[in-house]
Amino acid sequence: MATPPHDPYGDQPPRPAYDPYSQPARPPARGHQPYGQPQYRQPEYRQPSREPVTPQRFPRHVPGLGLVLATVGSLIQLLSLTVLPWAARAASDDVSLPTLWKSLTDGDSQGFGDWYVVLFSYPLIALGVVLAFAAVLESVAMKVVWGGLMLLGLGYLVLRYGLGPLTGLFGSPEPMSFTTAEIILAAGALIAVVLVALALKLAVSTFRRVAGVILLALSGIHLTAVMDLVDATAFSDLSIGAFTPSVGYLLTGAAALIGPRRLIPGH
């Protein structure tokens, strides 16, 4: 029996029909791990846990030590101006500043203590309080107010005890009739005007230190004037009220030197 001729294409499987709309197979996506391995993922960023904030047990705004001393010193000065006795006329007769001022104003002022009570007692205490708070708060506005009031007061002293006796104004008996006290007052006031003008040009921090020195010096000037007023030879001869303005000047002077320092840092 004869064998049919060998067909070389007869053993191949039939080819599928051509589909013009079929798309070629896409390559695997980048990052795809073959053979069923899991895909790599970057670890997620987690913020560190914050510790719970404990509530504060003290006021948020605590006044500074300088402000406390300035307030206490000002209250002491207020008491010394009104009710506390400055001197003793007799063993049981203590007189306050208003009584002293009235009696010396009605008469003639003779010594340093008399002039201090009549001219400087009230203004110095009032200006000292303004100066202390201007230094403690480091306030430029209060510094300018203090300087303006000082210049007004010193300008009056220069006119009253310098120009007045020179020209015969302000009740002077005749022109060029200077007394020793008037010369000292006018010259001292003129020097003080220059010093105040220089102080106003200082930086706030430097002005604070200068203010502290001035207030501490006023403490000693007050005691010297009161001892001269009552002819005292020792501090034991003074009434307790005579020391209160000095204590007030010491406290306000210390407050100016300390400045706006906080009792609790950061608050």
Side-chain angles (χ1 to χ4, degrees):
M1 185 176 181
T3 58
H6 176 69
D7 186 2
Y9 301 101
D11 297 335
Q12 295 182 1
R15 297 181 179 179
Y18 174 73
D19 186 1
Y21 299 99
S22 63
Q23 297 180 357
R26 296 181 180 179
R30 182 177 298 178
H32 176 72
Q33 300 292 333
Y35 307 108
Q37 295 183 2
Q39 185 177 1
Y40 173 76
R41 295 182 180 179
Q42 295 183 355
E44 297 182 357
Y45 175 76
R46 296 182 180 180
Q47 295 183 354
S49 59
R50 298 181 180 179
E51 297 181 358
V53 180
T54 56
Q56 297 177 348
R57 298 182 180 180
F58 44 81
R60 186 168 183 81
H61 298 288
V62 180
L65 179 60
L67 183 59
V68 173
L69 293 178
T71 304
V72 174
S74 300
L75 292 176
I76 293 176
Q77 298 286 48
L78 179 61
L79 292 176
S80 68
L81 285 177
T82 53
V83 296
L84 294 178
W86 273 34
R89 288 177 175 172
S92 59
D93 185 16
D94 293 335
V95 292
S96 61
L97 177 60
T99 305
L100 278 175
W101 188 87
K102 186 175 185 304
S103 62
L104 292 175
T105 305
D106 294 339
D108 293 330
S109 300
Q110 301 295 330
F112 170 63
D114 297 349
W115 285 103
Y116 174 80
V117 170
V118 173
L119 291 178
F120 302 110
S121 56
Y122 286 102
L124 281 182
I125 290 179
L127 290 171
V129 171
V130 177
L131 179 61
F133 280 100
V136 169
L137 301 176
E138 292 188 341
S139 172
V140 178
M142 293 190 70
K143 172 184 173 182
V144 173
V145 170
W146 172 83
L149 294 176
M150 283 290 295
L151 292 177
L152 286 176
L154 293 172
Y156 169 78
L157 293 179
V158 171
L159 293 176
R160 173 66 180 83
Y161 298 103
L163 186 62
L166 181 65
T167 59
L169 298 175
F170 297 100
S172 299
E174 57 183 10
M176 300 299 294
S177 59
F178 288 97
T179 63
T180 303
E182 290 172 342
I183 293 175
I184 294 174
L185 280 173
L190 188 59
I191 294 173
V193 168
V194 177
L195 294 177
V196 170
L198 293 176
L200 290 175
K201 295 183 178 181
L202 296 175
V204 177
S205 58
T206 306
F207 176 82
R208 177 170 58 80
R209 298 183 181 92
V210 173
V213 173
I214 291 174
L215 292 169
L216 294 178
L218 288 177
S219 175
I221 292 175
H222 168 79
L223 285 179
T224 304
V226 176
M227 290 185 70
D228 179 78
L229 176 67
V230 298
D231 295 327
T233 58
F235 289 152
S236 58
D237 297 334
L238 299 177
S239 175
I240 189 173
F243 296 95
T244 51
S246 289
V247 174
Y249 284 129
L250 287 175
L251 291 177
T252 53
L257 293 176
I258 293 173
R261 190 179 303 170
R262 295 291 184 184
L263 291 175
I264 301 177
H267 294 275

